[in-house]
Amino acid sequence: MKVFLIAGEPSGDKLGAALMAGLKTVVPRVEFHGIGGPLMQAEGLDSLFPMEELSVMGLIEVLPRLRNLFKRRDEAAQAVLNLNPDALITIDSPDFCLRVAAKVREDRALPVIHYVAPSVWVWRAGRAAKMARYVDHVLALLPFEPPYMRAAGMTCDFVGHPVVAEPQPTPAQMEALRQELGIADGMRILAVLPGSRRGEVSRLAAPFGATLGLLNHNDLHVVVPTVAHVHDQVVGEVENWPFRATILDPHGHAPADAQARKRALFHMADAALAASGTVGLELAMAGCPSVIAYRMSPISSFIVKRMVKTKYVNLVNVLLQRAAVPEVLLENCTPQNIAAALRPILDDPAVAAAQRSDLMQAMTMLGTAEDEPGIRAARSVVAAVERLAP
């Protein structure tokens, strides 16, 4: 079996790696090609070009990079056609991935599987119908998504989210990381994550740093995990913070080890402040109470506010349909508002415990009681390929 996979950002890289591992288990012989990051490469993918070129977020922020993105789209589509795989599997990043699928479909009727259903319950409800022109089958992360996809004309399986299958750190691993980072006994830990994209770091690092200055907790040790392609940028931003922070550097560690260190930190942390995204689920799986914050450019914010139709952006809140995790977004994303949301979590054990209980409930809804999502996704892919084969 030959598959061509495309992931465009770190969260997609994690999904792709879990799917690849699942396919190795389900399919006797499978051959991987495509575009992915370090986790997918560790599973055997030779990436066509660096995945980081596709990691761009925002309606306005993408404009300066359109020319290169179109070039990479054409390059990816031609590589798919040259390979003629059993399936093209696109993973999230719909603005790029679905353009590749459309380009391929102009020439050939290959089976196309998209991993991560578009959040039509949030905004742009017509995306599912548009996607159905090029996509045959969808792997959904959330239990309520399949009916939306089937109504648009695609088959769809809920496969769960890989975050629920990630290995949990041992006490020895957490203690080793505490010693390595120089976290003294009695110090509480706050994990701060200003994003995995350069634009996110540029917009969020300064208000996150200013927030720390407002907290003024002498017993707080701040740790900032990074991913390799924004590490230097994060280091430069953190140097300007009014509060000393320790960087959790992924360099010098294999991708799986770097992920394990980050999971250990999340389990150790008393609280977290994070950019909106998949990291919110990683923190939830670790039982780490958190505040989710996000800023966009003024024009992007103006457009998004008029298009979004859901009350929440954090998936824990979406699943529970209530604000279990505080969200501080767009023009409300100020140091004062973020600090006001963090203080109760840091200062009141009852508030932190209540959020931990909510996080456990949301993780159960995501599939912690089922087979690993990577295996479920792999089985769904194989069944779809068999069904769609000419």
Side-chain angles (χ1 to χ4, degrees):
M1 182 179 183
K2 290 188 299 184
V3 294
F4 193 103
L5 305 102
I6 303 175
E9 54 186 308
S11 59
D13 187 38
K14 291 182 69 174
L15 291 168
L19 172 59
M20 290 169 69
L23 284 169
K24 290 177 185 177
T25 300
V26 173
V27 182
R29 284 189 293 183
V30 60
E31 189 177 308
F32 299 121
H33 303 264
I35 302 155
L39 299 177
M40 291 171 69
Q41 291 171 38
E43 291 291 339
L45 181 75
D46 184 11
S47 188
L48 184 64
F49 53 78
M51 182 192 73
E52 291 75 20
E53 293 188 24
L54 308 180
S55 295
V56 58
M57 183 82 169
L59 303 173
I60 301 303
E61 292 81 354
V62 73
L63 292 178
R65 299 175 59 178
L66 275 178
R67 184 175 181 180
N68 185 63
L69 288 170
F70 284 136
K71 174 186 173 185
R72 290 307 198 186
R73 175 205 63 185
D74 294 344
E75 185 179 348
Q78 190 58 53
V80 175
L81 294 171
N82 292 343
L83 179 67
N84 195 32
D86 294 290
L88 166 61
I89 303 175
T90 54
I91 307 170
D92 209 2
S93 302
D95 290 332
F96 181 83
C97 286
L98 298 183
R99 283 180 169 84
V100 175
K103 193 85 173 170
V104 168
R105 278 290 175 86
E106 290 175 1
D107 187 276
R108 202 166 305 162
L110 287 173
V112 176
I113 299 168
H114 190 67
Y115 199 168
V116 183
S119 49
V120 296
W121 37 272
V122 178
W123 70 329
R124 292 166 59 192
R127 283 180 294 168
K130 182 178 179 181
M131 190 171 90
R133 302 175 198 167
Y134 322 113
V135 172
D136 302 294
H137 183 66
V138 180
L139 308 176
L141 304 187
L142 304 177
F144 54 79
E145 291 178 322
Y148 291 100
M149 302 301 104
R150 293 168 187 154
M154 298 169 285
T155 56
C156 181
D157 291 329
F158 166 56
V159 298
H161 199 293
V163 72
V164 304
E166 291 179 344
Q168 303 305 298
T170 65
Q173 289 172 321
M174 290 187 281
E175 181 58 29
L177 185 61
R178 179 183 288 273
Q179 294 295 326
E180 177 190 336
L181 298 179
I183 302 174
D185 292 340
M187 293 292 286
R188 293 185 298 166
I189 301 170
L190 175 66
V192 178
L193 301 103
S196 60
R197 304 180 184 95
R198 293 190 180 278
E200 290 173 336
V201 174
S202 296
R203 291 187 297 272
L204 294 173
F208 280 16
T211 297
L212 300 178
L214 294 175
L215 294 176
N216 193 30
H217 283 283
N218 294 325
D219 64 341
L220 207 57
H221 191 118
V222 175
V223 182
V224 184
T226 70
V227 292
H229 64 277
V230 297
H231 171 265
D232 292 346
Q233 182 186 7
V234 170
V235 169
E237 295 282 359
V238 167
E239 287 176 351
N240 297 319
W241 285 3
F243 198 105
R244 182 178 175 273
T246 301
I247 302 292
L248 186 63
D249 187 352
H251 290 101
H253 298 274
D257 184 39
Q259 289 292 317
R261 285 158 53 81
K262 187 171 73 170
R263 285 193 296 270
L265 171 67
F266 290 174
H267 278 77
M268 294 160 55
D270 296 275
L273 167 60
S276 176
T278 305
V279 69
L281 290 181
E282 297 176 33
L283 291 164
M285 191 62 196
C288 180
S290 60
V291 170
I292 299 299
Y294 208 75
R295 273 184 177 178
M296 303 177 80
S297 70
I299 296 176
S300 293
S301 296
F302 177 84
I303 296 171
V304 166
K305 283 169 62 178
R306 281 149 185 81
M307 297 177 70
V308 169
K309 58 183 182 180
T310 183
K311 291 167 56 177
Y312 308 113
V313 300
N314 181 265
L315 282 178
V316 169
N317 294 341
V318 172
L319 286 164
L320 299 177
Q321 280 301 292
R322 51 191 170 83
V325 178
E327 299 179 358
V328 189
L329 310 173
L330 303 180
E331 71 272 10
N332 293 321
C333 183
T334 65
Q336 292 76 16
N337 289 339
I338 299 171
L342 264 176
R343 284 192 192 100
I345 296 171
L346 289 168
D347 296 342
D348 189 340
V351 172
Q355 189 180 136
R356 288 192 186 96
S357 177
D358 289 335
L359 300 179
M360 290 178 60
Q361 181 182 349
M363 291 302 98
T364 300
M365 295 172 69
L366 274 185
T368 52
E370 306 288 342
D371 288 337
E372 290 189 2
I375 294 291
R376 295 167 66 184
R379 289 174 181 153
S380 182
V381 165
V382 171
V385 169
E386 291 176 349
R387 184 176 64 250
L388 296 167

